[in-house]
Amino acid sequence: MENELRLAVLIDADNAPRTALREIMAEVAVYGSATIKRIYGDWTAPNMGSWKPLLLEHAITPFQQYSYTTGKNATDSAMIIDAMDLLYSGNCDGFVLVSSDSDFTRLATRLREAGMKVYGMGEKKTPKPFIVACDKFVYIETLRVAEQQQEVPAPTGKSAKKKTAPAPETATLSVRELIAQSVEDLADEDGYAYLGDLGTLLMKKQPDFDSRNYGYAKLSKFIAALDGFEIDERHNAKYQGTQVFVRNKK
């Protein structure tokens, strides 16, 4: 694919769940090509052995960092130094930082200042400063749920029931207001905003915004399930497809 981002995937083994590595790498592929894949930790520790088959499966290179002092995380420093070396090498267009540690907040900020695209991936315990320092932040728990839903076989025969989307009650008032205000920011004279532009603006305003957090794989389906919005699907002959527009209900 032309113009695909060359991504450096840097994983903090001390703060990343090994059981979600497959889902993490699948998500990375959505944003670009993982041309550099590295993971940092003290591989002499007995509990790190279970990483080996996963790293071989995804061709991820382990980088050794000894724990010099108890209570101090030397892994973070090694990963930060390596990221800066990669930045100046010019061999990538963006970074994927996999960690739930706020120590990478300044790194994410510095990489973006240099014009890099920065994607963060971590658990929901990740501190807010690191989340907002990224262009986009994805919760690993959300990736796991999406993967589990795909693996569940669809019922067939008489026992099959019509599949219904989960209720969007989990969408807080602040999320609804975020969407409504963003629609207003982008609206044309008729009050409609193009869904593609809306998704981009939502991510800029709130990097961890993801319709999958609320049980919807697509933003259009999530908004359609919420009260207060109108959906207009328009056929576009030029692109031979359908474009979706959103308007706040009057």
Side-chain angles (χ1 to χ4, degrees):
M1 185 182 298
E2 294 184 5
N3 300 324
E4 187 174 48
L5 288 179
R6 299 171 301 163
L7 299 174
V9 182
L10 309 182
I11 305 172
D12 174 11
D14 295 333
N15 285 286
R18 65 200 74 186
T19 55
L21 189 59
R22 184 177 67 171
E23 291 86 347
I24 290 170
M25 297 311 298
E27 182 73 8
V28 170
V30 175
Y31 308 117
S33 176
T35 56
I36 299 170
K37 295 178 284 186
R38 300 177 180 179
I39 186 169
Y40 303 81
D42 184 358
W43 303 104
T44 63
N47 65 319
M48 301 295 278
S50 58
W51 276 102
K52 182 178 178 180
L54 296 171
L55 303 186
L56 292 173
E57 178 183 349
H58 298 284
I60 300 174
T61 304
F63 276 64
Q64 171 62 29
Q65 179 57 54
Y66 290 103
S67 300
Y68 298 118
T69 306
T70 302
K72 298 293 183 180
N73 195 343
T75 300
D76 292 1
S77 299
M79 185 167 151
I80 291 170
I81 292 171
D82 217 17
M84 296 308 296
D85 287 342
L86 290 171
L87 170 64
Y88 291 116
S89 72
N91 293 326
C92 59
D93 307 306
F95 288 79
V96 179
L97 306 178
V98 184
S99 179
S100 302
D101 194 337
S102 63
D103 288 348
F104 296 107
T105 301
R106 181 63 186 122
L107 173 62
T109 302
R110 178 65 184 85
L111 293 174
R112 290 181 68 189
E113 288 174 350
M116 294 287 107
K117 198 77 173 178
V118 179
Y119 301 97
M121 295 187 190
E123 296 177 297
K124 290 186 177 180
K125 65 181 180 181
T126 305
K128 197 69 174 179
F130 179 37
I131 292 173
V132 299
C134 301
D135 287 290
K136 180 177 178 62
F137 193 91
V138 180
Y139 292 119
I140 291 173
E141 291 91 341
T142 297
L143 298 180
R144 280 174 163 165
V145 170
E147 180 69 16
Q148 291 169 358
Q149 290 176 344
Q150 290 178 2
E151 292 176 351
V152 175
T156 58
K158 294 181 180 180
S159 61
K161 295 182 179 180
K162 185 178 180 181
K163 186 177 180 181
T164 58
E169 283 81 8
T170 53
T172 63
L173 180 61
S174 61
V175 170
R176 295 169 188 262
E177 291 177 345
L178 171 67
I179 297 173
Q181 183 57 57
S182 298
V183 169
E184 190 67 26
D185 292 340
L186 298 169
D188 58 18
E189 293 181 354
D190 295 322
Y192 282 102
Y194 174 51
L195 184 68
D197 294 336
L198 177 61
T200 300
L201 181 58
L202 288 170
M203 191 172 66
K204 287 180 179 179
K205 288 184 175 182
Q206 188 172 310
D208 61 342
F209 178 85
D210 193 326
S211 62
R212 294 174 297 180
N213 293 339
Y214 308 98
Y216 290 80
K218 300 293 184 181
L219 176 60
S220 58
K221 293 182 178 179
F222 174 51
I223 294 178
L226 294 172
D227 292 329
F229 301 98
E230 297 177 9
I231 301 293
D232 182 19
E233 297 184 358
R234 306 174 188 175
H235 178 71
N236 190 313
K238 180 179 179 180
Y239 298 103
Q240 297 182 343
T242 300
Q243 291 183 311
V244 179
F245 292 80
V246 182
R247 182 171 69 176
N248 295 324
K249 285 184 178 178
K250 298 179 180 179

